Amino acid sequence: MAINNNAIKISQKHLLGIQDLSISDVKLILDEAKKFISLNKSKNKKLDILRGKTQINLFFEPSTRTQSSFELAGKRLGADVMSMNITNSAIKKGETLIDTAMTLNAMHPDIIVVRHQDSGASNLLSQKVNCSVLNAGDGRREHPTQALLDALTIIEKKKKIEGLRIAICGDILHSRVARSNIFLLNMLGAEVNIVAPTNLMPKDIEKFGVKTFSNMKEGVKDCDIVMMLRLQNERMSSSFLSSNREYYEYYGLTPDKLEKAKKDAIIMHPGPMNRGIEIDTKLADDINKSVIKEQVELGVAVRMACLKIFCEK
Amino acid sequence: MKKQYFLNANIVDPANSVEELGGLIINENGKIEAIGKKVNKNNIPSREKFIDLKEKYIFPGLIDMRVFVGEPGFEYKENFKTLSNAALAGGVTSVVTMPNTSPVIDNVSMVDFLKRRGRDKSKINIYPTATLTKNLEGNNMNEFGLLQKKGIIGFTDGIKTIQNTRVMSRIMKSAYDLNSLIIQHAEDFELAKNGQVNDGIIATKLGLHGIPDYAEKIIVERDLSLLQDYNCRYHISQISSAKSLEVIKRSKDNVNFTTGVSINNLSLNENDIGDFRTFLKLSPPLRTEDDRLSLIKGINQDLIEVIVSDHKPEDEESKRLTFSQAATGASGIETLLSLALELFHNESLKLSKIIQCLTSNPAKILKIDKGSLSIGNDADFCIVDLFKPWIVKKENMISKSKNTCIEDKKLQGKVLNTYIKGVELYKC
């Protein structure tokens, strides 16, 4: 497929969250991403759309897949990509996020990709720099590119999103992936079920237009998609849950629970997975049901689309 | 000092149930000599000069029961001089200062320091509190008796709550013996841990840790239960939720206590936080619109007696951070009255009720001869144009810290002049 260089119009300067996007913004990104899927499978993957552009990956929180995905996406588009892991440099010297932003801004980047442990960090950063900011995850708030790649995966597999019933299961409280997905899937017309123990269910989340379940079998009933989230093990210490064992029993995705979903239901997971805690290891690897590898693959395409669109903004 | 005559003013003095057009005479010693409708042009000596206030309003000088001053330790946020100027601009003539300084106010020598600084640097009346427990640690009770002899008006851990129920019950018994005023900031520490905003839709949307309303309610409920056995002088510093108010309503017949509320919780709600506006990160947090409306109802039903500014100056550096890292609190003493008048203009509260919560009620709780225009009292008062429109601008703020949570807000009503002991100390 031919990939043109024409500038595409998007309503936002930054990609901070799905909350800020319009449905046409989302369609724009997904359409653009589709063009990159075949490119990423071909032999020569390099383009020069972003030649001469500087992309800075600013990661305040450790990340393997998101960071490498963004790095690869930038490189395939021909940008100069610089990755900074701030966990062990400036922060320890007492530098604030705004100071870091000012420093980087002075280097005239064209786009900054940021991940931070605090909700709202990307918003704050975007107010202080001249270039576009892409949020690669801020605290528990949003992880927009993950939701976009999940949507793309669903479209690839199910050909549509509208009218599908989708269960998002697990640690919703601490999950930015869950929040972004709720906003996006809702916007695209899916019916969203949220499954979590009440201790891990955010207050008033049903006001976002989702149904909530603390019984997993009820929550996944007749679903087309079962999206599992990573249980953040550090939660165990604060009495959110009694044990991994019990969590697996009630909220781990096992064949008997999956049976309640539709026969052709697919399994998704943003990774990294805790096998045997939130998901049965055989199910995770079942190529007929699990699309976890496809999610990673399409992640690069979605990030290429975002970089292209927002770099040109 | 010459005798002063103010005529043709709308005088609101809830302590004396005065709400009428009249005049005010201040004698040579800065005390109130006469007040009310009988003071008019016809019965003052014709040779005397008088000021015609043209139906502007006269209120007793406001008493703000919850004010943080940076001295000692945080002078870069606010000192006595800047606090005093900001207060006067807001018609506030008396403040109760919180002991959360560095070092904290928990011993007699610190009180001497405070009194000296307050006297030398500020023009307003300073009523300092000391901590309930040594070093704010919540364990060992402070010397209420010795400290109040030195001039401490009451005891509070300010931004902290006594978590240990046994310690709290002993504090109440001791306060009962010594007739000390206990002021509690009501928040269960464990329930509110890491909390940034009200636990609800906004917390969920912004991905911030929530502070549930029952974190406040549980402490209120606990303290009011304890109070049934030892009814010391007890004041809840500020409440923020309808749930706490229900508990207060249930207990009003059984025990004596009083309750305050921050003007922020009366005027704003959690939606105002918008896109991570750190200046609206407050403690207690802004809650839902339903909570706000029930707090107003609480004032109308006399379940809440005091309105405070919860003036907590923070320098810009500690606010220019991510929401979870940013400091808590807003500077608000100079906008307290104007923001409260919004509740009069939008017909939520009667004018006399607002002024009562800002003057005579706090005076009664603190047992001080302030907050009224009674004959013989110091002439602490302010003259207010109730309808003057203005816009809150950071650059026009007098407080050393500009962290107002109502920036660019359009208000109606402004203090024109503030007097203490008959001396004009502020002029708009």
Side-chain angles (χ1 to χ4, degrees):
Chain A
M1 192 186 295
I3 291 166
N4 63 41
N5 276 351
N6 292 343
I8 298 166
K9 295 277 177 269
I10 192 145
S11 70
Q12 301 290 314
K13 184 181 183 203
H14 311 283
L15 178 60
L16 304 177
I18 301 293
Q19 297 176 58
D20 311 322
L21 298 182
S22 68
I23 193 154
S24 58
D25 290 337
V26 168
K27 290 203 166 132
L28 206 69
I29 296 171
L30 293 178
D31 286 346
E32 192 68 27
K34 280 178 196 161
K35 299 177 192 165
F36 292 117
I37 297 175
S38 50
L39 176 88
N40 283 335
K41 287 180 181 157
S42 68
K43 275 198 174 153
N44 185 4
K45 304 179 181 70
K46 188 92 173 175
L47 293 176
D48 62 355
I49 297 173
L50 297 185
R51 192 169 59 197
K53 304 275 188 189
T54 307
Q55 170 193 343
I56 297 180
N57 295 338
L58 190 57
F59 277 66
F60 291 88
E61 210 181 46
S63 153
T64 351
R65 57 195 67 216
T66 306
Q67 189 175 351
S68 49
S69 182
F70 266 112
E71 197 167 329
L72 202 56
K75 283 178 175 163
R76 282 191 183 161
L77 293 173
D80 295 317
V81 184
M82 180 173 80
S83 286
M84 297 178 67
N85 291 306
I86 311 283
T87 32
N88 39 21
S89 66
I91 288 275
K92 291 216 169 114
K93 294 177 196 158
E95 190 172 84
T96 65
L97 178 62
I98 289 185
D99 289 336
T100 308
M102 301 296 215
T103 308
L104 292 178
N105 198 41
M107 299 176 190
H108 303 292
D110 298 283
I111 200 152
I112 295 177
V113 177
V114 63
R115 160 159 305 183
H116 198 283
Q117 60 277 11
D118 288 345
S119 303
S122 53
N123 302 53
L124 182 64
L125 187 75
S126 72
Q127 291 159 13
K128 305 292 168 186
V129 296
N130 300 327
C131 66
S132 287
V133 172
L134 298 192
N135 181 9
D138 63 325
R140 320 162 157 195
R141 195 182 75 101
E142 283 238 32
H143 191 353
T145 57
Q146 177 70 45
L148 288 163
L149 76 87
D150 288 341
L152 188 61
T153 310
I154 296 171
I155 292 168
E156 287 291 301
K157 290 288 163 186
K158 297 282 182 189
K159 308 297 167 211
K160 60 165 188 176
I161 288 183
E162 197 170 351
L164 294 183
R165 185 178 288 178
I166 301 174
I168 305 177
C169 315
D171 182 358
I172 310 291
L173 182 65
H174 300 99
S175 176
R176 50 193 172 218
V177 176
R179 283 174 177 74
S180 287
N181 263 310
I182 289 170
F183 295 130
L184 186 58
L185 295 172
N186 251 340
M187 191 198 297
L188 297 176
E191 189 184 314
V192 180
N193 287 355
I194 298 294
V195 181
T198 305
N199 264 323
L200 295 176
M201 189 76 87
K203 184 108 187 274
D204 292 343
I205 194 151
E206 60 284 351
K207 289 186 184 161
F208 292 149
V210 296
K211 283 191 194 144
T212 58
F213 296 87
S214 62
N215 181 310
M216 185 154 174
K217 282 183 180 168
E218 287 170 18
V220 300
K221 191 161 178 277
D222 297 329
C223 280
D224 300 279
I225 315 275
V226 179
M227 189 184 288
M228 300 304 300
L229 298 173
R230 187 175 78 89
L231 180 69
Q232 309 195 9
N233 271 315
E234 56 275 22
R235 312 299 167 208
M236 223 55 88
S237 57
S238 357
S239 254
F240 279 107
L241 300 165
S242 53
S243 70
N244 285 341
R245 211 164 43 181
E246 189 171 271
Y247 183 78
Y248 182 67
E249 177 70 24
Y250 287 90
Y251 296 98
L253 186 63
T254 49
D256 68 309
K257 293 189 195 101
L258 188 61
E259 209 173 75
K260 303 286 173 194
K262 284 201 182 140
K263 278 216 158 56
D264 60 347
I266 56 171
I267 303 168
M268 301 178 76
H269 194 300
M273 271 184 286
N274 296 306
R275 290 166 184 268
I277 297 177
E278 70 249 359
I279 189 163
D280 175 82
T281 188
K282 275 187 196 152
L283 280 183
D285 296 331
D286 184 341
I287 50 164
N288 294 317
K289 293 188 187 316
S290 163
V291 296
I292 297 169
K293 284 198 196 95
E294 283 87 338
Q295 287 175 274
V296 178
E297 188 186 331
L298 297 183
V300 179
V302 161
R303 282 162 188 138
M304 287 168 81
C306 292
L307 287 170
K308 176 172 185 276
I309 291 169
F310 286 93
C311 246
E312 284 166 351
K313 181 69 187 178
Chain B
M1 189 190 297
K2 275 174 83 177
K3 226 174 185 181
Q4 300 171 77
Y5 299 85
F6 298 90
L7 300 183
N8 196 21
N10 271 301
I11 298 177
V12 180
D13 182 21
N16 296 305
S17 310
V18 172
E19 197 175 355
E20 61 198 23
L21 198 63
L24 176 67
I25 305 177
I26 297 162
N27 72 15
E28 293 85 346
N29 303 318
K31 308 266 186 200
I32 291 168
E33 187 174 292
I35 178 187
K37 57 184 169 215
K38 55 195 177 294
V39 182
N40 56 47
K41 220 172 165 181
N42 302 326
N43 52 17
I44 62 166
S46 54
R47 63 179 185 284
E48 294 285 358
K49 273 191 190 159
F50 63 86
I51 298 171
D52 181 355
L53 286 180
K54 295 176 183 152
E55 301 191 11
K56 298 274 187 305
Y57 281 74
I58 289 184
F59 303 141
L62 311 188
I63 304 172
D64 190 345
M65 275 187 71
R66 190 173 169 87
V67 169
F68 293 84
V69 61
E71 278 195 69
F74 307 108
E75 289 83 357
Y76 58 95
K77 294 180 182 175
E78 189 90 285
N79 58 38
F80 277 111
K81 195 174 166 185
T82 55
L83 171 71
S84 158
N85 290 335
L88 288 167
V92 177
T93 53
S94 301
V95 297
V96 175
T97 58
M98 295 293 111
N100 309 73
T101 48
S102 177
V104 299
I105 313 302
D106 66 353
N107 61 68
V108 170
S109 62
M110 286 305 299
V111 181
D112 285 336
F113 167 83
L114 272 188
K115 284 173 74 179
R116 216 167 44 242
R117 292 290 294 176
R119 187 193 59 215
D120 296 347
K121 298 288 169 191
S122 97
K123 297 171 213 155
I124 56 171
N125 308 301
I126 306 272
Y127 294 98
T129 59
T131 63
L132 279 169
T133 58
K134 286 281 176 196
N135 205 23
L136 295 169
E137 280 163 3
N139 299 319
N140 300 313
M141 159 179 18
N142 217 336
E143 302 158 316
F144 301 154
L146 296 179
L147 285 160
Q148 66 195 18
K149 272 191 180 168
K150 276 280 176 186
I152 288 293
I153 191 99
F155 299 86
T156 177
D157 276 358
I159 54 173
K160 288 177 94 179
T161 310
I162 305 298
Q163 301 295 330
N164 185 319
T165 310
R166 186 186 60 189
V167 172
M168 195 61 214
S169 78
R170 292 187 176 161
I171 282 173
M172 286 181 176
K173 290 175 198 170
S174 192
Y176 177 81
D177 291 341
L178 300 164
N179 197 23
S180 310
L181 173 65
I182 302 303
I183 303 173
Q184 178 81 288
H185 173 69
E187 185 174 82
D188 183 280
F189 176 74
E190 288 293 335
L191 286 171
K193 208 172 191 174
N194 300 326
Q196 314 289 333
V197 293
N198 178 44
D199 194 21
I201 183 80
I202 297 297
T204 297
K205 179 168 171 268
L206 296 179
L208 295 171
H209 291 255
I211 303 173
D213 50 7
Y214 51 82
E216 178 178 277
K217 179 195 165 195
I218 280 174
I219 296 293
V220 171
E221 212 158 32
R222 179 200 71 177
D223 283 4
L224 296 182
S225 298
L226 293 172
L227 216 53
Q228 288 182 6
D229 282 9
Y230 294 94
N231 205 166
C232 66
R233 291 167 63 204
Y234 175 86
H235 177 73
I236 305 163
S237 192
Q238 24 175 15
I239 62 162
S240 61
S241 72
K243 274 190 185 157
S244 305
L245 201 66
E246 279 166 30
V247 178
I248 286 166
K249 195 172 185 177
R250 279 206 305 274
S251 311
K252 268 290 174 191
D253 295 335
N254 311 327
V255 281
N256 289 322
F257 65 98
T258 50
T259 307
V261 64
S262 157
I263 188 63
N264 301 324
N265 291 96
L266 283 179
S267 306
L268 304 167
N269 67 32
E270 56 178 354
N271 295 312
D272 292 305
I273 293 164
D275 191 12
F276 297 97
R277 293 175 61 198
T278 57
F279 284 17
L280 279 82
K281 181 176 173 183
L282 305 171
S283 173
L286 297 174
R287 298 203 188 269
T288 64
E289 179 64 3
D290 285 346
D291 285 309
R292 188 185 78 84
L293 293 173
S294 42
L295 293 173
I296 288 173
K297 214 168 167 188
I299 291 185
N300 277 321
Q301 297 176 341
D302 292 325
L303 298 171
I304 296 173
E305 291 88 354
V306 177
I307 301 174
V308 297
S309 70
D310 191 21
H311 178 71
K312 194 162 180 289
E314 293 291 345
D315 59 309
E316 202 145 313
E317 291 314 306
S318 41
K319 284 287 189 184
R320 288 174 65 218
L321 296 167
T322 59
F323 204 89
S324 60
Q325 290 171 357
T328 303
S331 171
I333 197 163
E334 56 200 283
T335 51
L336 169 63
L337 180 62
S338 297
L339 192 51
L341 287 176
E342 187 185 52
L343 300 169
F344 160 72
H345 291 300
N346 66 23
E347 295 176 4
S348 301
L349 295 172
K350 279 194 180 145
L351 183 61
S352 59
K353 182 57 80 183
I354 293 172
I355 302 307
Q356 189 184 352
C357 292
L358 291 168
T359 59
S360 56
N361 282 353
K364 217 169 7 179
I365 294 165
L366 298 164
K367 297 189 172 177
I368 54 176
D369 277 338
K370 296 285 174 193
S372 81
L373 300 173
S374 304
I375 292 166
N377 268 15
D378 286 340
D380 295 358
F381 65 98
C382 55
I383 299 170
V384 177
D385 181 342
L386 215 53
F387 302 97
K388 183 177 178 165
W390 64 292
I391 299 173
V392 181
K393 287 281 173 202
K394 217 151 80 172
E395 58 270 24
N396 298 336
M397 283 181 71
I398 293 169
S399 167
K400 202 163 187 176
S401 294
K402 317 292 182 196
N403 55 317
T404 170
C405 58
I406 50 165
E407 201 184 355
D408 294 328
K409 194 176 175 74
K410 292 179 184 134
L411 295 174
Q412 204 181 348
K414 201 164 189 341
V415 174
L416 302 178
N417 318 74
T418 306
Y419 288 75
I420 291 183
K421 293 188 178 122
V423 180
E424 184 188 62
L425 294 176
Y426 170 78
K427 193 173 186 330
C428 179

